[in-house]
Amino acid sequence: MTPAELASVVLAAAHAVFEQRGLDRAALPASTVVERPRNPEHGDYASTLALQLSKKVGVPPRELATALADELGRAAGVKSVEIAGPGFLNIRLDAAAAGQLARVIVEAGAEYGRSDRLAGEKINLEFVSANPTGPVHIGGVRWAAVGDALSRLLRATGAEVGTEYYFNDAGSQIDRFARSLLAAAKGEAAPEDGYGGAYIAEIATEVQARRPEVRSLDDDAAQEVFRVEGVALMFDEIRSSLRDFGVEFDTYFNEKDLHDRGELDLALNRLRQQGHLYESEGATWLRTTDFGDDKDRVLRKSNGEWTYFAADCAYYLDKRERGFERVVIMLGADHHGYIGRMKAMAACFGDDPERNLEILIGQLVNLLRDGAPMRMSKRAGTVITLEDLVDAIGVDASRYALARYSSDSPIDIDIELWTRATRDNPVYYVQYVAARTAGVARNAAEVGLVPGDAAAFRPELLEHEKENELLKALAEFPAVVATAAELREPHRVARYLEESVAASFHRFYDNCRVLPLGDEEITDLHRARLWLNNATRTVIANGLYLLGVSAPERM
């Protein structure tokens, strides 16, 4: 029995009690939930339904809980119900009802854990969006791992999601990038405000190979060639490195398109219609202070140039015009000050900034070698890059390490720890369960042990306390996925896989033998345990998929 099925049983018992007592059934909720008690000795699941309904119907909570317990105790699959405190219901399932979950999970396969909790939501999720002036640095890599995991979680809970990379190919940073390439091509030092690193020389060389005529052009014309070709090369590299990291975007959006299509003027006119623009000192301002910003923002300078914030406004409007009801943007720690102005901007467009715009801030990441932070990339020259991280610990460990922690917390990634083939390496600890469960299934097949038809499965044989503990851990998965999606916290999935599933499986494996010994006859208990083993493999694989991490069959 799954937690959702038990919740339905609890609600059905409440309907029966209300009918027996002549209580107003309009007070009953459309659904309820059951939770695992903190202390396993209190039962398999707990419900607070009696406490929730007591005031509504004027019945003391313990009296209502007693009636619910009597009714619930007669339900199929419920072994016992105890009343605790002011009216908590502590519920124990019989072994057959608990063990049926193994069959449910195996038959659901990749669908187990998915729901329609966020069905109907259309979400635009923008992450990474690093400027094409250098390789993706480790801060951007964190968003690549977390953002991709979040997109998988949102889709797993029924949301319609469009992932997006905002490609900033306009502005002063691109000009500095082009001047840096030109200087490298001429054998000169990088401009004082330019970019260094071996990658600049590499790109400059590649541009000259593609466009040999650039050598004969004057500096202005040559700089334009280096800008166009250099940005294209850099962005191709960014896309390639992200693809190798397992991250693909539905849309790569060019900032330059906003300018070329006149979308900044469109946004300006929309804001003017809303009555939030004014002119001062020859510039055009947006009155964001009306919506909590610390100062008003310039959209167009007195010389006619657009500001970066004007492009932000146009880009937000473009997303909303494409039908996205919620715009989620992931930004680095140095962008915390953007929240106020972006929320105010959404309000200026007439949107609800709490409903239509969501900004997530990610904190810093340090890569440690021998206990000390690594500061310099051999290729980028200034920061640690995606390639540096992957070269150090691999794609799976990188994605898991970055998604394992709450994004609003700084993290240190210790190279020695994350490359260790021991249980203290979190990704190894979880992937080892994936490999072990696959190995058990292979070995079982070799000795003729197969799960058998679902109709012949005897879940009531799964009565060992470690079997029950593992079943309860597996039952939590759908709720973990839904909560992680709603709270935008992929790390909940990683911690659940480690602390609940992997830990419970190891205890089960050590105490409950799945395979027969020697010439021992294969029994229904062996088959039942194989179902539970395979259900564990399914949950581990589904959870790792949501994090973009592989579930190996061998290690």
Side-chain angles (χ1 to χ4, degrees), residues 6-18:
L6 178 58
S8 295
V9 171
V10 172
L11 194 57
H15 275 274
V17 168
F18 272 47

Side-chain angles (χ1 to χ4, degrees), residues 252-365:
Y252 294 89
F253 193 102
N254 286 24
E255 180 190 353
K256 191 171 181 294
D257 289 344
L258 293 171
H259 293 265
D260 294 345
R261 296 197 299 247
E263 292 195 40
L264 280 82
D265 285 306
L266 178 65
L268 198 74
N269 291 335
R270 183 72 60 86
L271 292 167
R272 180 171 284 112
Q273 292 168 10
Q274 294 286 340
H276 299 299
L277 292 187
Y278 66 94
E279 308 293 325
S280 178
E281 300 177 353
T284 303
W285 297 70
L286 181 61
R287 193 176 284 105
T288 52
T289 52
D290 284 352
F291 298 98
D293 196 6
D294 58 347
K295 62 181 180 180
D296 291 340
R297 304 290 169 175
V298 177
L299 297 183
R300 201 165 203 166
K301 301 176 185 178
S302 58
N303 62 4
E305 291 182 1
W306 295 103
T307 63
Y308 282 119
F309 189 60
D312 290 337
C313 293
Y315 186 36
Y316 173 79
L317 181 61
D318 182 273
K319 290 176 179 178
R320 294 285 285 120
E321 293 289 296
R322 281 185 272 146
F324 291 105
E325 297 162 1
R326 187 182 293 268
V327 173
V328 181
I329 307 172
M330 297 178 159
L331 298 173
D334 56 341
H335 287 74
H336 199 278
Y338 276 55
I339 297 177
R341 74 187 71 170
M342 293 293 285
K343 291 281 189 179
M345 173 265 290
C348 288
F349 276 119
D351 282 350
D352 177 354
E354 298 309 311
R355 163 66 187 162
N356 300 115
L357 178 62
E358 193 174 332
I359 297 177
L360 307 177
I361 299 293
Q363 295 301 319
L364 301 176
V365 182

Side-chain angles (χ1 to χ4, degrees), residues 159-175:
E160 182 181 346
V161 182
T163 57
E164 196 143 319
Y165 188 116
Y166 184 52
F167 176 25
N168 183 340
D169 55 349
S172 59
Q173 290 179 324
I174 300 299
D175 291 338

Side-chain angles (χ1 to χ4, degrees), residues 17-350:
V17 168
F18 272 47
E19 184 173 357
Q20 294 162 10
R21 291 183 163 228
L23 300 175
D24 182 8
R25 285 192 288 177
L28 289 167
S31 62
T32 188
V33 295
V34 292
E35 300 174 340
R36 285 184 63 181
R38 292 183 180 179
N39 186 346
E41 294 180 2
H42 292 165
D44 297 326
Y45 295 98
S47 171
T48 60
L49 188 59
L51 295 170
Q52 297 168 28
L53 297 174
S54 176
K55 285 186 178 180
K56 292 181 179 180
V57 297
V59 178
R62 277 192 70 90
E63 180 182 334
L64 187 56
T66 299
L68 284 171
D70 290 343
E71 185 67 33
L72 191 55
R74 291 190 285 272
V78 176
K79 181 178 181 181
S80 66
V81 185
E82 296 174 355
I83 303 166
F88 296 103
L89 295 173
N90 289 333
I91 306 165
R92 286 181 170 82
L93 302 180
D94 63 35
Q100 280 290 357
L101 180 67
R103 175 188 57 78
V104 170
I105 293 172
V106 172
E107 291 182 342
E111 292 301 307
Y112 183 68
R114 294 177 174 268
S115 70
D116 59 359
R117 184 77 69 92
L118 299 181
E121 289 206 29
K122 190 171 183 181
I123 300 171
N124 181 280
L125 179 62
E126 180 200 341
F127 55 100
V128 184
S129 294
N131 289 329
T133 54
V136 179
H137 61 77
I138 198 165
V141 182
R142 183 175 197 176
W143 276 138
V146 174
D148 188 63
L150 181 54
S151 73
R152 294 167 185 243
L153 281 164
L154 293 170
R155 287 171 175 144
T157 46
E160 182 181 346
V161 182
T163 57
E164 196 143 319
Y165 188 116
Y166 184 52
F167 176 25
N168 183 340
D169 55 349
S172 59
Q173 290 179 324
I174 300 299
D175 291 338
R176 295 202 303 271
F177 177 63
R179 285 190 279 110
S180 301
L181 293 175
L182 177 60
K186 296 167 68 174
E188 300 174 355
E192 188 174 339
D193 61 347
Y195 295 91
Y199 77 96
I200 290 291
E202 292 170 8
I203 293 174
T205 300
E206 180 63 23
V207 171
Q208 292 177 88
R210 288 188 175 193
R211 299 281 299 275
E213 76 276 10
V214 72
R215 299 186 183 92
S216 61
L217 299 176
D218 61 52
D219 282 357
D220 288 343
Q223 184 174 312
E224 179 60 17
V225 171
F226 279 110
R227 186 190 71 78
V228 173
E229 297 290 341
V231 165
L233 285 167
M234 190 72 257
F235 194 61
D236 283 347
E237 180 179 324
I238 289 172
R239 289 184 65 166
S240 176
S241 61
L242 287 170
R243 188 182 304 115
D244 292 343
F245 197 59
V247 179
E248 288 271 14
F249 290 87
D250 298 320
T251 301
Y252 294 89
F253 193 102
N254 286 24
E255 180 190 353
K256 191 171 181 294
D257 289 344
L258 293 171
H259 293 265
D260 294 345
R261 296 197 299 247
E263 292 195 40
L264 280 82
D265 285 306
L266 178 65
L268 198 74
N269 291 335
R270 183 72 60 86
L271 292 167
R272 180 171 284 112
Q273 292 168 10
Q274 294 286 340
H276 299 299
L277 292 187
Y278 66 94
E279 308 293 325
S280 178
E281 300 177 353
T284 303
W285 297 70
L286 181 61
R287 193 176 284 105
T288 52
T289 52
D290 284 352
F291 298 98
D293 196 6
D294 58 347
K295 62 181 180 180
D296 291 340
R297 304 290 169 175
V298 177
L299 297 183
R300 201 165 203 166
K301 301 176 185 178
S302 58
N303 62 4
E305 291 182 1
W306 295 103
T307 63
Y308 282 119
F309 189 60
D312 290 337
C313 293
Y315 186 36
Y316 173 79
L317 181 61
D318 182 273
K319 290 176 179 178
R320 294 285 285 120
E321 293 289 296
R322 281 185 272 146
F324 291 105
E325 297 162 1
R326 187 182 293 268
V327 173
V328 181
I329 307 172
M330 297 178 159
L331 298 173
D334 56 341
H335 287 74
H336 199 278
Y338 276 55
I339 297 177
R341 74 187 71 170
M342 293 293 285
K343 291 281 189 179
M345 173 265 290
C348 288
F349 276 119

Side-chain angles (χ1 to χ4, degrees), residues 413-426:
I413 297 177
D414 188 320
I415 292 174
E416 182 183 21
L417 169 66
W418 288 92
T419 53
R420 200 178 293 159
T422 58
R423 286 190 175 190
D424 57 346
N425 175 350

